[in-house]
């Protein structure tokens, strides 16, 4: 089954520095503090969801939901 959301764009890619600058800007301006902290802890610090939940004193489903919403927001903002 073909993915209808991605039509196989093969045009020029932005340089890595530009991509990283865009990601940083979106993380700073578009994510909530909690979403930003969760993304940083999970992707950059290498913590797993259970550990993040333990540190915050919340259920791991709360961390999963926060991470999922942050990822969706990043994808939406970086799409163009």
């Amino acid at each position: 089954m073909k993915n209808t959301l991605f039509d196989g764009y093969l045009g020029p890619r932005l340089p890595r520095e530009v991509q990283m600058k865009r990601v940083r800007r979106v993380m700073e301006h578009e994510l909530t503090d909690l979403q930003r902290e969760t993304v940083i802890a999970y992707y950059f610090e290498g913590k797993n969801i259970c550990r993040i939940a333990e540190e915050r004193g919340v259920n791991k489903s709360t961390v999963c939901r926060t991470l999922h919403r942050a990822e969706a927001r990043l994808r939406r903002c970086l799409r163009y």
Side-chain angles (χ1 to χ4, degrees):
M1 177 178 209
K2 184 179 178 190
N3 185 347
T4 57
L5 297 177
F6 178 70
D7 60 0
Y9 174 73
L10 297 174
R13 292 190 173 267
L14 294 172
R16 183 164 174 77
E17 305 83 42
V18 175
Q19 290 178 14
M20 291 306 293
K21 186 185 281 188
R22 288 183 68 213
V23 170
R24 272 189 239 108
R25 190 182 70 229
V26 169
M27 284 181 64
E28 290 172 9
H29 298 289
E30 299 295 332
L31 299 182
T32 66
D33 291 338
L34 190 58
Q35 288 174 339
R36 186 178 320 104
E37 291 168 7
T38 304
V39 167
I40 289 170
Y42 187 75
Y43 287 105
F44 297 105
E45 295 174 2
K47 296 179 182 177
N48 63 24
I49 289 174
C50 292
R51 184 169 174 200
I52 296 169
E54 207 174 271
E55 290 174 356
R56 294 201 178 134
V58 297
N59 197 316
K60 63 184 180 179
S61 66
T62 303
V63 175
C64 284
R65 194 171 43 248
T66 302
L67 187 59
H68 178 74
R69 289 177 180 164
E71 291 166 342
R73 180 89 177 188
L74 283 168
R75 276 192 295 277
R76 254 190 333 269
C77 292
L78 294 171
R79 184 179 306 156
Y80 300 105

